[in-house]
Amino acid sequence: MLFQYRFSILFLVLGLWDTQAAASPRQKKTSSTTGGGDTQAATAQQQAAQIKGGVSTATDGSTILDQTVTVNGLDMRFKVSAPADQFMTTSGVNGGAADPSTVGAMGINVLLHGDGGQSFFDFPNQAVQANLMGVVMLAPDPNLFWGGGSGLNRTDGVAHSQAVNDLILNELPSVVAFNKSRVFFTGVSGGSLLLSGFFIPAQMTSFQGTGILLNCGGLEPQVNFLDADAVISSTTIHFQSTQDELALLQPAIPSAIVAYEGLATTAGLSTDQINALQTVDNSPQGGHCEFDGKDFVSGVQVMAAAFSNVIQPGGNGQVDGIGNVLNGVVGNEKLSFSGQT
């Protein structure tokens, strides 16, 4: 059946969707005219640009600011959801009361969407949760693929992970006040590939002592790992999949688990210490990212709503409709899948 996205701009064949799968989305018939008069399909990025940014209201009453900045030559569009008074007075948000001298008391949860950008527009982490404000970024790629390329081959992973890092450290402080020692991350599908394959090894040294939720995707580190022992010893990582995960990801996610577990062993962590930091679950009876067994969008929302339970210190691991997902990776590396999608 067709996987029906609620935003018309996102009807494209996603890089993580098996091209043989009947569930592949259809291509939206949108065209643009070049200077020579030829007509060609508008890219997902061009279609996304037609949805204007600005200020809106979040599901919990927080204020959402949607804007674009240039980072390392890349146009980086992002949204921040926060109490109005946490925005800078220069942000354009009514009620913004912070200035560069403000010491932010709240942290942030930065979400990287899956191929095609659905979760950027849904913004599933927009509600403030356990003192973390929501941030979501849009991939600076024509197809809205984090890391560019397609499938598991993320050819622009290095540049994109650097841009995410630099936006957080250099641009975001001029928009909203936040505690730079409490920057957490969520990946969805292709966003999880960028985080596990590129961002954690190359950039996570700037955000030690926090955590990452890797939904429906995972890669072994694709680049040299900076400060590996320190990062691995202080970072909580949870891998979340489903029983009917994409065939492409069924070997990739376990390989990522083994790789990160190996890094923890090399760092000198005991089995108990590893299992406290690195956990995995693929018990939901659903397809790719369908953690509620029903749908991509609602499934991603279920995990976003449980972020504090799964990733933040003291969390009990409980996810609505699933139960406790905090199964230590040691002894659970070889995930069992019920079928292929």
Side-chain angles (χ1 to χ4, degrees):
M1 64 178 179
L2 292 175
F3 187 68
Q4 187 74 33
Y5 287 97
R6 69 174 64 166
F7 290 98
S8 62
I9 66 163
L10 301 172
F11 286 120
L12 74 164
V13 178
L14 304 185
L16 280 181
W17 281 76
D18 185 338
T19 56
Q20 302 302 314
S24 295
R26 60 184 175 87
Q27 177 75 38
K28 181 180 184 290
K29 295 180 180 179
T30 301
S31 62
S32 61
T33 303
T34 64
D38 296 329
T39 300
Q40 56 185 246
T43 66
Q45 188 178 43
Q46 290 169 333
Q47 295 177 59
Q50 297 173 16
I51 300 177
K52 301 303 181 183
V55 179
S56 59
T57 303
T59 54
D60 66 344
S62 296
T63 298
I64 297 175
L65 177 63
D66 178 342
Q67 65 180 48
T68 302
V69 295
T70 300
V71 179
N72 305 333
L74 297 172
D75 289 334
M76 296 288 290
R77 183 175 179 180
F78 66 98
K79 298 178 184 179
V80 179
S81 181
D85 62 1
Q86 297 302 298
F87 285 95
M88 295 292 152
T89 55
T90 56
S91 66
V93 171
N94 186 27
D99 61 49
S101 66
T102 302
V103 178
M106 304 177 73
I108 57 174
N109 174 17
V110 180
L111 184 144
L112 302 187
H113 60 73
D115 291 351
Q118 177 71 33
S119 297
F120 175 82
F121 296 98
D122 292 340
F123 201 175
N125 59 319
Q126 63 184 263
V128 172
Q129 186 177 157
N131 213 37
L132 293 184
M133 300 176 287
V135 176
V136 63
M137 300 182 187
L138 189 65
D141 173 74
N143 295 316
L144 302 181
F145 290 4
W146 276 113
S150 63
L152 301 180
N153 184 25
R154 300 289 154 153
T155 53
D156 297 320
V158 171
H160 285 191
S161 63
Q162 186 68 58
V164 170
N165 176 83
D166 293 353
L167 191 156
I168 295 169
L169 296 181
N170 302 332
E171 301 293 338
L172 205 55
S174 65
V175 176
V176 67
F178 67 98
N179 185 337
K180 298 177 184 61
S181 67
R182 300 191 68 240
V183 179
F184 293 75
F185 297 88
T186 297
V188 176
S189 192
S192 291
L193 299 187
L194 185 80
L195 287 172
S196 55
F198 299 90
F199 188 86
I200 297 175
Q203 311 296 342
M204 201 62 193
T205 185
S206 298
F207 310 102
Q208 293 179 32
T210 61
I212 300 177
L213 174 57
L214 298 173
N215 291 313
C216 41
L219 277 180
E220 302 175 36
Q222 304 293 296
V223 294
N224 291 334
F225 210 121
L226 302 180
D227 300 324
D229 290 358
V231 170
I232 291 296
S233 299
S234 65
T235 303
T236 298
I237 303 174
H238 178 73
F239 297 86
Q240 184 64 47
S241 183
T242 55
Q243 280 293 290
D244 292 322
E245 183 57 271
L246 295 180
L248 182 70
L249 292 172
Q250 289 185 16
I253 294 172
S255 293
I257 292 169
V258 170
Y260 275 92
E261 180 186 324
L263 287 164
T265 300
T266 300
L269 273 63
S270 68
T271 295
D272 287 346
Q273 289 173 321
I274 295 172
N275 283 342
L277 287 170
Q278 299 183 15
T279 54
V280 60
D281 178 76
N282 75 321
S283 62
Q285 298 292 327
H288 184 54
C289 304
E290 296 176 349
F291 304 115
D292 61 350
K294 300 175 183 178
D295 179 72
F296 180 100
V297 172
S298 58
V300 170
Q301 186 62 61
V302 162
M303 290 306 301
F307 184 86
S308 61
N309 287 349
V310 177
I311 297 297
Q312 291 184 258
N316 59 14
Q318 291 295 316
V319 179
D320 188 30
I322 304 176
N324 190 337
V325 299
L326 299 183
N327 308 298
V329 294
V330 179
N332 292 305
E333 303 88 350
K334 297 181 180 181
L335 299 180
S336 175
F337 297 96
S338 63
Q340 295 182 340
T341 55

